[in-house]
PDB file of all heavy atoms in Angstrom:
ATOM      1  N   ALA A   1       0.752  -1.174  -0.050  1.00 98.00           N
ATOM      2  CA  ALA A   1       0.050  -0.053   0.046  1.00 98.00           C
ATOM      3  C   ALA A   1       0.972   1.256   0.003  1.00 98.00           C
ATOM      4  O   ALA A   1       0.639   2.186  -0.722  1.00 98.00           O
ATOM      5  CB  ALA A   1      -0.917   0.004   1.181  1.00 98.00           C
ATOM      6  N   LYS A   2       1.883   1.332   0.770  1.00 97.00           N
ATOM      7  CA  LYS A   2       2.842   2.420   0.785  1.00 97.00           C
ATOM      8  C   LYS A   2       3.461   2.630  -0.534  1.00 97.00           C
ATOM      9  O   LYS A   2       3.534   3.765  -0.985  1.00 97.00           O
ATOM     10  CB  LYS A   2       3.844   2.209   1.936  1.00 97.00           C
ATOM     11  CG  LYS A   2       3.317   2.273   3.383  1.00 97.00           C
ATOM     12  CD  LYS A   2       4.450   1.935   4.387  1.00 97.00           C
ATOM     13  CE  LYS A   2       3.914   1.993   5.882  1.00 97.00           C
ATOM     14  NZ  LYS A   2       4.904   1.661   6.788  1.00 97.00           N
ATOM     15  N   GLY A   3       3.861   1.551  -1.083  1.00 97.00           N
ATOM     16  CA  GLY A   3       4.514   1.804  -2.383  1.00 97.00           C
ATOM     17  C   GLY A   3       3.569   2.207  -3.559  1.00 97.00           C
ATOM     18  O   GLY A   3       3.956   3.093  -4.370  1.00 97.00           O
ATOM     19  N   PHE A   4       2.374   1.642  -3.391  1.00 98.00           N
ATOM     20  CA  PHE A   4       1.267   2.116  -4.345  1.00 98.00           C
ATOM     21  C   PHE A   4       1.057   3.645  -4.264  1.00 98.00           C
ATOM     22  O   PHE A   4       0.955   4.332  -5.214  1.00 98.00           O
ATOM     23  CB  PHE A   4       0.068   1.333  -4.117  1.00 98.00           C
ATOM     24  CG  PHE A   4      -1.091   1.593  -5.015  1.00 98.00           C
ATOM     25  CD1 PHE A   4      -1.326   0.810  -6.208  1.00 98.00           C
ATOM     26  CD2 PHE A   4      -2.069   2.694  -4.820  1.00 98.00           C
ATOM     27  CE1 PHE A   4      -2.392   1.140  -7.014  1.00 98.00           C
ATOM     28  CE2 PHE A   4      -2.989   2.955  -5.681  1.00 98.00           C
ATOM     29  CZ  PHE A   4      -3.227   2.275  -6.720  1.00 98.00           C
ATOM     30  N   ASP A   5       1.001   4.093  -3.049  1.00 97.00           N
ATOM     31  CA  ASP A   5       0.663   5.507  -2.773  1.00 97.00           C
ATOM     32  C   ASP A   5       1.796   6.310  -3.295  1.00 97.00           C
ATOM     33  O   ASP A   5       1.564   7.447  -3.840  1.00 97.00           O
ATOM     34  CB  ASP A   5       0.389   5.729  -1.232  1.00 97.00           C
ATOM     35  CG  ASP A   5      -0.920   5.160  -0.800  1.00 97.00           C
ATOM     36  OD1 ASP A   5      -1.861   5.042  -1.666  1.00 97.00           O
ATOM     37  OD2 ASP A   5      -1.082   4.968   0.381  1.00 97.00           O
ATOM     38  N   ILE A   6       3.068   5.949  -2.931  1.00 97.00           N
ATOM     39  CA  ILE A   6       4.160   6.692  -3.566  1.00 97.00           C
ATOM     40  C   ILE A   6       4.131   6.853  -5.063  1.00 97.00           C
ATOM     41  O   ILE A   6       4.259   7.901  -5.637  1.00 97.00           O
ATOM     42  CB  ILE A   6       5.468   6.048  -3.024  1.00 97.00           C
ATOM     43  CG1 ILE A   6       5.593   6.165  -1.487  1.00 97.00           C
ATOM     44  CG2 ILE A   6       6.681   6.712  -3.748  1.00 97.00           C
ATOM     45  CD1 ILE A   6       6.756   5.399  -0.994  1.00 97.00           C
ATOM     46  N   LEU A   7       3.924   5.662  -5.627  1.00 97.00           N
ATOM     47  CA  LEU A   7       3.785   5.631  -7.205  1.00 97.00           C
ATOM     48  C   LEU A   7       2.630   6.476  -7.717  1.00 97.00           C
ATOM     49  O   LEU A   7       2.835   7.247  -8.624  1.00 97.00           O
ATOM     50  CB  LEU A   7       3.773   4.153  -7.652  1.00 97.00           C
ATOM     51  CG  LEU A   7       3.866   3.891  -9.146  1.00 97.00           C
ATOM     52  CD1 LEU A   7       5.170   4.548  -9.777  1.00 97.00           C
ATOM     53  CD2 LEU A   7       3.756   2.504  -9.386  1.00 97.00           C
ATOM     54  N   ALA A   8       1.544   6.417  -7.040  1.00 97.00           N
ATOM     55  CA  ALA A   8       0.371   7.108  -7.558  1.00 97.00           C
ATOM     56  C   ALA A   8       0.640   8.699  -7.469  1.00 97.00           C
ATOM     57  O   ALA A   8       0.213   9.424  -8.344  1.00 97.00           O
ATOM     58  CB  ALA A   8      -0.949   6.697  -6.711  1.00 97.00           C
ATOM     59  N   ASP A   9       1.307   9.071  -6.494  1.00 96.00           N
ATOM     60  CA  ASP A   9       1.635  10.509  -6.359  1.00 96.00           C
ATOM     61  C   ASP A   9       2.657  10.965  -7.427  1.00 96.00           C
ATOM     62  O   ASP A   9       2.709  12.171  -7.676  1.00 96.00           O
ATOM     63  CB  ASP A   9       2.261  10.687  -4.977  1.00 96.00           C
ATOM     64  CG  ASP A   9       1.178  10.763  -3.836  1.00 96.00           C
ATOM     65  OD1 ASP A   9       0.089  11.028  -4.218  1.00 96.00           O
ATOM     66  OD2 ASP A   9       1.631  10.671  -2.713  1.00 96.00           O
ATOM     67  N   LEU A  10       3.296  10.036  -8.074  1.00 96.00           N
ATOM     68  CA  LEU A  10       4.258  10.383  -9.156  1.00 96.00           C
ATOM     69  C   LEU A  10       3.461  10.574 -10.484  1.00 96.00           C
ATOM     70  O   LEU A  10       4.085  10.891 -11.453  1.00 96.00           O
ATOM     71  CB  LEU A  10       5.283   9.381  -9.232  1.00 96.00           C
ATOM     72  CG  LEU A  10       6.252   9.228  -8.100  1.00 96.00           C
ATOM     73  CD1 LEU A  10       7.245   8.207  -8.215  1.00 96.00           C
ATOM     74  CD2 LEU A  10       6.942  10.586  -7.772  1.00 96.00           C
ATOM     75  N   ARG A  11       2.182  10.246 -10.491  1.00 95.00           N
ATOM     76  CA  ARG A  11       1.274  10.399 -11.616  1.00 95.00           C
ATOM     77  C   ARG A  11       1.592   9.734 -12.838  1.00 95.00           C
ATOM     78  O   ARG A  11       1.617  10.304 -13.965  1.00 95.00           O
ATOM     79  CB  ARG A  11       1.121  11.959 -11.852  1.00 95.00           C
ATOM     80  CG  ARG A  11       0.481  12.668 -10.791  1.00 95.00           C
ATOM     81  CD  ARG A  11       0.344  14.215 -11.246  1.00 95.00           C
ATOM     82  NE  ARG A  11       1.728  14.897 -11.123  1.00 95.00           N
ATOM     83  CZ  ARG A  11       2.025  15.892 -11.883  1.00 95.00           C
ATOM     84  NH1 ARG A  11       1.037  16.487 -12.702  1.00 95.00           N
ATOM     85  NH2 ARG A  11       3.145  16.478 -11.840  1.00 95.00           N
ATOM     86  N   PRO A  12       1.826   8.429 -12.881  1.00 96.00           N
ATOM     87  CA  PRO A  12       1.792   7.701 -14.160  1.00 96.00           C
ATOM     88  C   PRO A  12       0.550   7.605 -14.671  1.00 96.00           C
ATOM     89  O   PRO A  12      -0.485   7.597 -13.945  1.00 96.00           O
ATOM     90  CB  PRO A  12       2.410   6.271 -13.652  1.00 96.00           C
ATOM     91  CG  PRO A  12       2.012   6.188 -12.229  1.00 96.00           C
ATOM     92  CD  PRO A  12       2.052   7.474 -11.635  1.00 96.00           C
ATOM     93  N   ASP A  13       0.387   7.481 -15.974  1.00 96.00           N
ATOM     94  CA  ASP A  13      -0.831   7.409 -16.645  1.00 96.00           C
ATOM     95  C   ASP A  13      -1.603   6.037 -16.181  1.00 96.00           C
ATOM     96  O   ASP A  13      -2.837   5.955 -16.209  1.00 96.00           O
ATOM     97  CB  ASP A  13      -0.819   7.436 -18.132  1.00 96.00           C
ATOM     98  CG  ASP A  13      -0.214   8.886 -18.597  1.00 96.00           C
ATOM     99  OD1 ASP A  13      -0.998   9.752 -18.411  1.00 96.00           O
ATOM    100  OD2 ASP A  13       0.874   8.941 -18.888  1.00 96.00           O
ATOM    101  N   GLU A  14      -0.827   5.020 -16.059  1.00 97.00           N
ATOM    102  CA  GLU A  14      -1.465   3.680 -15.627  1.00 97.00           C
ATOM    103  C   GLU A  14      -0.545   3.047 -14.533  1.00 97.00           C
ATOM    104  O   GLU A  14       0.660   3.326 -14.634  1.00 97.00           O
ATOM    105  CB  GLU A  14      -1.520   2.680 -16.766  1.00 97.00           C
ATOM    106  CG  GLU A  14      -2.586   3.141 -17.909  1.00 97.00           C
ATOM    107  CD  GLU A  14      -2.554   2.040 -18.952  1.00 97.00           C
ATOM    108  OE1 GLU A  14      -2.374   0.844 -18.631  1.00 97.00           O
ATOM    109  OE2 GLU A  14      -2.710   2.457 -20.104  1.00 97.00           O
ATOM    110  N   ILE A  15      -1.109   2.410 -13.543  1.00 98.00           N
ATOM    111  CA  ILE A  15      -0.387   1.604 -12.683  1.00 98.00           C
ATOM    112  C   ILE A  15      -0.901   0.077 -12.970  1.00 98.00           C
ATOM    113  O   ILE A  15      -2.030  -0.192 -12.670  1.00 98.00           O
ATOM    114  CB  ILE A  15      -0.563   1.911 -11.192  1.00 98.00           C
ATOM    115  CG1 ILE A  15      -0.072   3.398 -10.977  1.00 98.00           C
ATOM    116  CG2 ILE A  15       0.166   0.961 -10.230  1.00 98.00           C
ATOM    117  CD1 ILE A  15      -0.376   3.848  -9.520  1.00 98.00           C
ATOM    118  N   GLN A  16       0.005  -0.698 -13.362  1.00 97.00           N
ATOM    119  CA  GLN A  16      -0.385  -2.135 -13.559  1.00 97.00           C
ATOM    120  C   GLN A  16      -0.064  -2.905 -12.332  1.00 97.00           C
ATOM    121  O   GLN A  16       0.982  -3.113 -11.970  1.00 97.00           O
ATOM    122  CB  GLN A  16       0.299  -2.747 -14.681  1.00 97.00           C
ATOM    123  CG  GLN A  16      -0.118  -4.130 -15.195  1.00 97.00           C
ATOM    124  CD  GLN A  16      -1.495  -4.164 -15.692  1.00 97.00           C
ATOM    125  OE1 GLN A  16      -1.739  -3.388 -16.568  1.00 97.00           O
ATOM    126  NE2 GLN A  16      -2.264  -5.066 -15.240  1.00 97.00           N
ATOM    127  N   VAL A  17      -1.200  -3.363 -11.711  1.00 98.00           N
ATOM    128  CA  VAL A  17      -1.021  -4.145 -10.421  1.00 98.00           C
ATOM    129  C   VAL A  17      -1.001  -5.613 -10.866  1.00 98.00           C
ATOM    130  O   VAL A  17      -2.003  -6.201 -11.161  1.00 98.00           O
ATOM    131  CB  VAL A  17      -2.174  -3.882  -9.424  1.00 98.00           C
ATOM    132  CG1 VAL A  17      -1.922  -4.775  -8.209  1.00 98.00           C
ATOM    133  CG2 VAL A  17      -2.139  -2.466  -9.081  1.00 98.00           C
ATOM    134  N   GLY A  18       0.163  -6.317 -10.881  1.00 97.00           N
ATOM    135  CA  GLY A  18       0.378  -7.657 -11.256  1.00 97.00           C
ATOM    136  C   GLY A  18       0.399  -8.572 -10.093  1.00 97.00           C
ATOM    137  O   GLY A  18       1.081  -8.271  -9.175  1.00 97.00           O
ATOM    138  N   ILE A  19      -0.139  -9.735 -10.221  1.00 98.00           N
ATOM    139  CA  ILE A  19       0.029 -10.840  -9.202  1.00 98.00           C
ATOM    140  C   ILE A  19       1.178 -11.697  -9.606  1.00 98.00           C
ATOM    141  O   ILE A  19       1.322 -12.101 -10.702  1.00 98.00           O
ATOM    142  CB  ILE A  19      -1.236 -11.708  -9.146  1.00 98.00           C
ATOM    143  CG1 ILE A  19      -2.523 -10.773  -9.004  1.00 98.00           C
ATOM    144  CG2 ILE A  19      -1.050 -12.688  -7.913  1.00 98.00           C
ATOM    145  CD1 ILE A  19      -2.501  -9.908  -7.762  1.00 98.00           C
ATOM    146  N   LEU A  20       2.127 -11.897  -8.652  1.00 98.00           N
ATOM    147  CA  LEU A  20       3.292 -12.640  -8.943  1.00 98.00           C
ATOM    148  C   LEU A  20       2.990 -13.940  -9.462  1.00 98.00           C
ATOM    149  O   LEU A  20       2.025 -14.807  -9.065  1.00 98.00           O
ATOM    150  CB  LEU A  20       4.162 -12.850  -7.573  1.00 98.00           C
ATOM    151  CG  LEU A  20       5.404 -13.729  -7.745  1.00 98.00           C
ATOM    152  CD1 LEU A  20       6.425 -12.954  -8.540  1.00 98.00           C
ATOM    153  CD2 LEU A  20       5.938 -14.016  -6.300  1.00 98.00           C
ATOM    154  N   LYS A  21       3.784 -14.330 -10.558  1.00 97.00           N
ATOM    155  CA  LYS A  21       3.543 -15.688 -11.193  1.00 97.00           C
ATOM    156  C   LYS A  21       4.987 -16.405 -11.042  1.00 97.00           C
ATOM    157  O   LYS A  21       5.950 -15.789 -11.276  1.00 97.00           O
ATOM    158  CB  LYS A  21       3.226 -15.422 -12.703  1.00 97.00           C
ATOM    159  CG  LYS A  21       1.880 -14.784 -12.898  1.00 97.00           C
ATOM    160  CD  LYS A  21       1.612 -14.477 -14.393  1.00 97.00           C
ATOM    161  CE  LYS A  21       0.315 -13.760 -14.600  1.00 97.00           C
ATOM    162  NZ  LYS A  21       0.246 -12.436 -13.900  1.00 97.00           N
ATOM    163  N   ARG A  22       4.709 -17.653 -11.001  1.00 95.00           N
ATOM    164  CA  ARG A  22       6.095 -18.474 -10.916  1.00 95.00           C
ATOM    165  C   ARG A  22       6.450 -19.020 -12.373  1.00 95.00           C
ATOM    166  O   ARG A  22       5.823 -19.877 -12.846  1.00 95.00           O
ATOM    167  CB  ARG A  22       5.874 -19.728 -10.015  1.00 95.00           C
ATOM    168  CG  ARG A  22       7.207 -20.478  -9.845  1.00 95.00           C
ATOM    169  CD  ARG A  22       6.914 -21.841  -9.131  1.00 95.00           C
ATOM    170  NE  ARG A  22       8.198 -22.657  -9.110  1.00 95.00           N
ATOM    171  CZ  ARG A  22       8.760 -23.312 -10.052  1.00 95.00           C
ATOM    172  NH1 ARG A  22       8.134 -23.307 -11.282  1.00 95.00           N
ATOM    173  NH2 ARG A  22       9.843 -23.940  -9.823  1.00 95.00           N
ATOM    174  N   LEU A  23       7.318 -18.188 -12.949  1.00 94.00           N
ATOM    175  CA  LEU A  23       7.776 -18.547 -14.259  1.00 94.00           C
ATOM    176  C   LEU A  23       8.759 -19.752 -14.101  1.00 94.00           C
ATOM    177  O   LEU A  23       9.682 -19.680 -13.243  1.00 94.00           O
ATOM    178  CB  LEU A  23       8.476 -17.403 -14.914  1.00 94.00           C
ATOM    179  CG  LEU A  23       7.587 -16.108 -15.083  1.00 94.00           C
ATOM    180  CD1 LEU A  23       8.378 -15.082 -15.732  1.00 94.00           C
ATOM    181  CD2 LEU A  23       6.349 -16.577 -15.876  1.00 94.00           C
ATOM    182  N   LYS A  24       8.646 -20.809 -14.823  1.00 93.00           N
ATOM    183  CA  LYS A  24       9.525 -21.952 -14.836  1.00 93.00           C
ATOM    184  C   LYS A  24      10.991 -21.445 -15.056  1.00 93.00           C
ATOM    185  O   LYS A  24      11.341 -20.856 -16.042  1.00 93.00           O
ATOM    186  CB  LYS A  24       9.165 -23.086 -15.827  1.00 93.00           C
ATOM    187  CG  LYS A  24       7.876 -23.659 -15.422  1.00 93.00           C
ATOM    188  CD  LYS A  24       7.470 -24.767 -16.373  1.00 93.00           C
ATOM    189  CE  LYS A  24       6.260 -25.567 -16.018  1.00 93.00           C
ATOM    190  NZ  LYS A  24       5.044 -24.696 -15.741  1.00 93.00           N
ATOM    191  N   GLY A  25      11.868 -21.851 -14.048  1.00 93.00           N
ATOM    192  CA  GLY A  25      13.196 -21.469 -14.257  1.00 93.00           C
ATOM    193  C   GLY A  25      13.640 -20.232 -13.480  1.00 93.00           C
ATOM    194  O   GLY A  25      14.874 -20.006 -13.410  1.00 93.00           O
ATOM    195  N   ALA A  26      12.695 -19.425 -13.126  1.00 94.00           N
ATOM    196  CA  ALA A  26      13.101 -18.042 -12.481  1.00 94.00           C
ATOM    197  C   ALA A  26      13.644 -18.373 -11.099  1.00 94.00           C
ATOM    198  O   ALA A  26      13.131 -19.197 -10.388  1.00 94.00           O
ATOM    199  CB  ALA A  26      11.775 -17.240 -12.396  1.00 94.00           C
ATOM    200  N   PRO A  27      14.568 -17.727 -10.727  1.00 95.00           N
ATOM    201  CA  PRO A  27      15.404 -17.929  -9.470  1.00 95.00           C
ATOM    202  C   PRO A  27      14.552 -17.614  -8.272  1.00 95.00           C
ATOM    203  O   PRO A  27      15.043 -17.943  -7.165  1.00 95.00           O
ATOM    204  CB  PRO A  27      16.611 -17.036  -9.540  1.00 95.00           C
ATOM    205  CG  PRO A  27      16.803 -16.668 -11.015  1.00 95.00           C
ATOM    206  CD  PRO A  27      15.309 -16.702 -11.584  1.00 95.00           C
ATOM    207  N   ILE A  28      13.497 -17.008  -8.438  1.00 96.00           N
ATOM    208  CA  ILE A  28      12.710 -16.649  -7.255  1.00 96.00           C
ATOM    209  C   ILE A  28      12.231 -17.879  -6.423  1.00 96.00           C
ATOM    210  O   ILE A  28      11.833 -17.737  -5.224  1.00 96.00           O
ATOM    211  CB  ILE A  28      11.486 -15.783  -7.604  1.00 96.00           C
ATOM    212  CG1 ILE A  28      10.849 -15.093  -6.378  1.00 96.00           C
ATOM    213  CG2 ILE A  28      10.349 -16.599  -8.259  1.00 96.00           C
ATOM    214  CD1 ILE A  28       9.859 -13.965  -6.666  1.00 96.00           C
ATOM    215  N   SER A  29      12.248 -19.048  -6.992  1.00 96.00           N
ATOM    216  CA  SER A  29      11.893 -20.280  -6.368  1.00 96.00           C
ATOM    217  C   SER A  29      12.699 -20.512  -5.205  1.00 96.00           C
ATOM    218  O   SER A  29      12.298 -21.289  -4.289  1.00 96.00           O
ATOM    219  CB  SER A  29      11.935 -21.464  -7.198  1.00 96.00           C
ATOM    220  OG  SER A  29      13.301 -21.631  -7.803  1.00 96.00           O
ATOM    221  N   ARG A  30      13.970 -19.871  -5.036  1.00 96.00           N
ATOM    222  CA  ARG A  30      14.848 -20.188  -3.989  1.00 96.00           C
ATOM    223  C   ARG A  30      14.134 -19.545  -2.588  1.00 96.00           C
ATOM    224  O   ARG A  30      14.622 -19.934  -1.491  1.00 96.00           O
ATOM    225  CB  ARG A  30      16.167 -19.604  -4.191  1.00 96.00           C
ATOM    226  CG  ARG A  30      16.245 -18.121  -4.060  1.00 96.00           C
ATOM    227  CD  ARG A  30      17.632 -17.538  -4.519  1.00 96.00           C
ATOM    228  NE  ARG A  30      17.711 -16.138  -4.317  1.00 96.00           N
ATOM    229  CZ  ARG A  30      18.246 -15.437  -3.237  1.00 96.00           C
ATOM    230  NH1 ARG A  30      18.564 -16.150  -2.241  1.00 96.00           N
ATOM    231  NH2 ARG A  30      18.250 -14.238  -3.196  1.00 96.00           N
ATOM    232  N   HIS A  31      13.249 -18.844  -2.735  1.00 97.00           N
ATOM    233  CA  HIS A  31      12.532 -18.246  -1.502  1.00 97.00           C
ATOM    234  C   HIS A  31      11.398 -19.046  -1.047  1.00 97.00           C
ATOM    235  O   HIS A  31      10.750 -18.646  -0.071  1.00 97.00           O
ATOM    236  CB  HIS A  31      12.101 -16.758  -1.866  1.00 97.00           C
ATOM    237  CG  HIS A  31      13.219 -15.834  -2.118  1.00 97.00           C
ATOM    238  ND1 HIS A  31      14.166 -15.459  -1.250  1.00 97.00           N
ATOM    239  CD2 HIS A  31      13.621 -15.225  -3.360  1.00 97.00           C
ATOM    240  CE1 HIS A  31      15.099 -14.602  -1.899  1.00 97.00           C
ATOM    241  NE2 HIS A  31      14.720 -14.468  -3.138  1.00 97.00           N
ATOM    242  N   ASP A  32      11.044 -20.025  -1.739  1.00 97.00           N
ATOM    243  CA  ASP A  32       9.688 -20.745  -1.520  1.00 97.00           C
ATOM    244  C   ASP A  32       9.581 -21.266  -0.140  1.00 97.00           C
ATOM    245  O   ASP A  32       8.557 -21.019   0.561  1.00 97.00           O
ATOM    246  CB  ASP A  32       9.609 -21.895  -2.420  1.00 97.00           C
ATOM    247  CG  ASP A  32       9.218 -21.477  -3.859  1.00 97.00           C
ATOM    248  OD1 ASP A  32       9.060 -20.263  -4.105  1.00 97.00           O
ATOM    249  OD2 ASP A  32       9.120 -22.420  -4.796  1.00 97.00           O
ATOM    250  N   LYS A  33      10.678 -21.802   0.516  1.00 97.00           N
ATOM    251  CA  LYS A  33      10.671 -22.357   1.777  1.00 97.00           C
ATOM    252  C   LYS A  33      10.627 -21.296   2.910  1.00 97.00           C
ATOM    253  O   LYS A  33       9.723 -21.309   3.755  1.00 97.00           O
ATOM    254  CB  LYS A  33      11.809 -23.310   2.036  1.00 97.00           C
ATOM    255  CG  LYS A  33      11.650 -24.058   3.331  1.00 97.00           C
ATOM    256  CD  LYS A  33      12.844 -25.120   3.581  1.00 97.00           C
ATOM    257  CE  LYS A  33      12.698 -25.841   4.874  1.00 97.00           C
ATOM    258  NZ  LYS A  33      13.860 -26.840   5.039  1.00 97.00           N
ATOM    259  N   GLU A  34      11.573 -20.394   2.846  1.00 97.00           N
ATOM    260  CA  GLU A  34      11.775 -19.341   3.826  1.00 97.00           C
ATOM    261  C   GLU A  34      10.505 -18.448   3.984  1.00 97.00           C
ATOM    262  O   GLU A  34      10.021 -18.102   5.017  1.00 97.00           O
ATOM    263  CB  GLU A  34      12.947 -18.493   3.618  1.00 97.00           C
ATOM    264  CG  GLU A  34      13.071 -17.386   4.664  1.00 97.00           C
ATOM    265  CD  GLU A  34      14.352 -16.524   4.391  1.00 97.00           C
ATOM    266  OE1 GLU A  34      15.096 -16.814   3.480  1.00 97.00           O
ATOM    267  OE2 GLU A  34      14.575 -15.614   5.202  1.00 97.00           O
ATOM    268  N   TRP A  35       9.834 -18.036   2.758  1.00 98.00           N
ATOM    269  CA  TRP A  35       8.809 -17.125   2.745  1.00 98.00           C
ATOM    270  C   TRP A  35       7.518 -17.807   2.484  1.00 98.00           C
ATOM    271  O   TRP A  35       6.482 -17.139   2.172  1.00 98.00           O
ATOM    272  CB  TRP A  35       9.072 -16.037   1.768  1.00 98.00           C
ATOM    273  CG  TRP A  35      10.271 -15.199   2.181  1.00 98.00           C
ATOM    274  CD1 TRP A  35      11.596 -15.276   1.715  1.00 98.00           C
ATOM    275  CD2 TRP A  35      10.204 -14.183   3.284  1.00 98.00           C
ATOM    276  NE1 TRP A  35      12.343 -14.452   2.414  1.00 98.00           N
ATOM    277  CE2 TRP A  35      11.540 -13.688   3.284  1.00 98.00           C
ATOM    278  CE3 TRP A  35       9.245 -13.703   4.023  1.00 98.00           C
ATOM    279  CZ2 TRP A  35      11.891 -12.690   4.179  1.00 98.00           C
ATOM    280  CZ3 TRP A  35       9.490 -12.659   4.885  1.00 98.00           C
ATOM    281  CH2 TRP A  35      10.885 -12.139   4.985  1.00 98.00           C
ATOM    282  N   GLU A  36       7.469 -19.208   2.592  1.00 98.00           N
ATOM    283  CA  GLU A  36       6.263 -19.914   2.448  1.00 98.00           C
ATOM    284  C   GLU A  36       5.447 -19.541   1.207  1.00 98.00           C
ATOM    285  O   GLU A  36       4.207 -19.337   1.245  1.00 98.00           O
ATOM    286  CB  GLU A  36       5.347 -19.711   3.717  1.00 98.00           C
ATOM    287  CG  GLU A  36       6.066 -20.229   4.976  1.00 98.00           C
ATOM    288  CD  GLU A  36       5.318 -19.853   6.257  1.00 98.00           C
ATOM    289  OE1 GLU A  36       4.160 -19.530   6.180  1.00 98.00           O
ATOM    290  OE2 GLU A  36       5.971 -19.874   7.414  1.00 98.00           O
ATOM    291  N   MET A  37       6.138 -19.447   0.101  1.00 98.00           N
ATOM    292  CA  MET A  37       5.532 -19.182  -1.164  1.00 98.00           C
ATOM    293  C   MET A  37       4.842 -20.366  -1.800  1.00 98.00           C
ATOM    294  O   MET A  37       5.384 -21.356  -2.053  1.00 98.00           O
ATOM    295  CB  MET A  37       6.633 -18.658  -2.200  1.00 98.00           C
ATOM    296  CG  MET A  37       7.611 -17.600  -1.626  1.00 98.00           C
ATOM    297  SD  MET A  37       6.921 -15.957  -1.331  1.00 98.00           S
ATOM    298  CE  MET A  37       6.928 -15.503  -2.996  1.00 98.00           C
ATOM    299  N   VAL A  38       3.502 -20.203  -1.947  1.00 98.00           N
ATOM    300  CA  VAL A  38       2.616 -21.223  -2.443  1.00 98.00           C
ATOM    301  C   VAL A  38       1.970 -20.750  -3.735  1.00 98.00           C
ATOM    302  O   VAL A  38       1.281 -19.762  -3.784  1.00 98.00           O
ATOM    303  CB  VAL A  38       1.545 -21.829  -1.524  1.00 98.00           C
ATOM    304  CG1 VAL A  38       0.733 -22.775  -2.092  1.00 98.00           C
ATOM    305  CG2 VAL A  38       2.273 -22.274  -0.177  1.00 98.00           C
ATOM    306  N   TYR A  39       2.282 -21.406  -4.870  1.00 98.00           N
ATOM    307  CA  TYR A  39       1.718 -21.048  -6.118  1.00 98.00           C
ATOM    308  C   TYR A  39       0.618 -22.128  -6.720  1.00 98.00           C
ATOM    309  O   TYR A  39       0.586 -23.197  -6.310  1.00 98.00           O
ATOM    310  CB  TYR A  39       2.840 -20.989  -7.177  1.00 98.00           C
ATOM    311  CG  TYR A  39       3.894 -20.000  -6.914  1.00 98.00           C
ATOM    312  CD1 TYR A  39       4.984 -20.453  -6.095  1.00 98.00           C
ATOM    313  CD2 TYR A  39       3.973 -18.775  -7.477  1.00 98.00           C
ATOM    314  CE1 TYR A  39       6.073 -19.589  -5.848  1.00 98.00           C
ATOM    315  CE2 TYR A  39       5.030 -17.809  -7.138  1.00 98.00           C
ATOM    316  CZ  TYR A  39       6.037 -18.313  -6.348  1.00 98.00           C
ATOM    317  OH  TYR A  39       6.974 -17.375  -6.062  1.00 98.00           O
ATOM    318  N   SER A  40      -0.215 -21.576  -7.558  1.00 97.00           N
ATOM    319  CA  SER A  40      -1.145 -22.442  -8.204  1.00 97.00           C
ATOM    320  C   SER A  40      -0.458 -23.550  -9.151  1.00 97.00           C
ATOM    321  O   SER A  40       0.716 -23.018  -9.657  1.00 97.00           O
ATOM    322  CB  SER A  40      -2.133 -21.686  -9.062  1.00 97.00           C
ATOM    323  OG  SER A  40      -2.821 -22.511  -9.892  1.00 97.00           O
ATOM    324  N   GLU A  41      -0.821 -24.705  -9.167  1.00 94.00           N
ATOM    325  CA  GLU A  41      -0.200 -25.639 -10.070  1.00 94.00           C
ATOM    326  C   GLU A  41      -0.579 -25.537 -11.469  1.00 94.00           C
ATOM    327  O   GLU A  41      -0.059 -26.282 -12.355  1.00 94.00           O
ATOM    328  CB  GLU A  41      -0.517 -27.191  -9.588  1.00 94.00           C
ATOM    329  CG  GLU A  41       0.008 -27.415  -8.207  1.00 94.00           C
ATOM    330  CD  GLU A  41      -0.303 -28.884  -7.820  1.00 94.00           C
ATOM    331  OE1 GLU A  41      -1.219 -29.465  -8.391  1.00 94.00           O
ATOM    332  OE2 GLU A  41       0.232 -29.373  -6.857  1.00 94.00           O
ATOM    333  N   HIS A  42      -1.448 -24.657 -11.802  1.00 93.00           N
ATOM    334  CA  HIS A  42      -2.000 -24.450 -13.138  1.00 93.00           C
ATOM    335  C   HIS A  42      -1.686 -23.126 -13.630  1.00 93.00           C
ATOM    336  O   HIS A  42      -1.673 -22.128 -12.982  1.00 93.00           O
ATOM    337  CB  HIS A  42      -3.524 -24.709 -13.127  1.00 93.00           C
ATOM    338  CG  HIS A  42      -3.908 -25.970 -12.595  1.00 93.00           C
ATOM    339  ND1 HIS A  42      -3.772 -27.222 -13.186  1.00 93.00           N
ATOM    340  CD2 HIS A  42      -4.421 -26.292 -11.341  1.00 93.00           C
ATOM    341  CE1 HIS A  42      -4.138 -28.261 -12.429  1.00 93.00           C
ATOM    342  NE2 HIS A  42      -4.520 -27.725 -11.369  1.00 93.00           N
TER     343      HIS A  42
END
């Protein structure tokens, strides 16, 4: 929310709010255990 408000005050024409996706091969998978990251299987 804080980041959204900061960005909105900078007046971009659009703010794309994206939900994190697990792309196959992306290194973010290394955080799965520590941060309890659970993704859809589909």
Side-chain angles (χ1 to χ4, degrees):
K2 290 177 183 176
F4 183 95
D5 287 337
I6 292 170
L7 185 57
D9 284 341
L10 297 176
R11 293 181 292 155
D13 295 288
E14 294 180 36
I15 298 176
Q16 186 67 47
V17 179
I19 310 300
L20 179 65
K21 299 173 180 62
R22 185 191 178 281
L23 303 179
K24 289 181 175 61
I28 198 168
S29 59
R30 73 185 183 91
H31 299 292
D32 287 357
K33 185 176 180 180
E34 180 182 357
W35 293 100
E36 300 173 17
M37 312 286 283
V38 177
Y39 299 86
S40 170
E41 293 182 344
H42 306 286

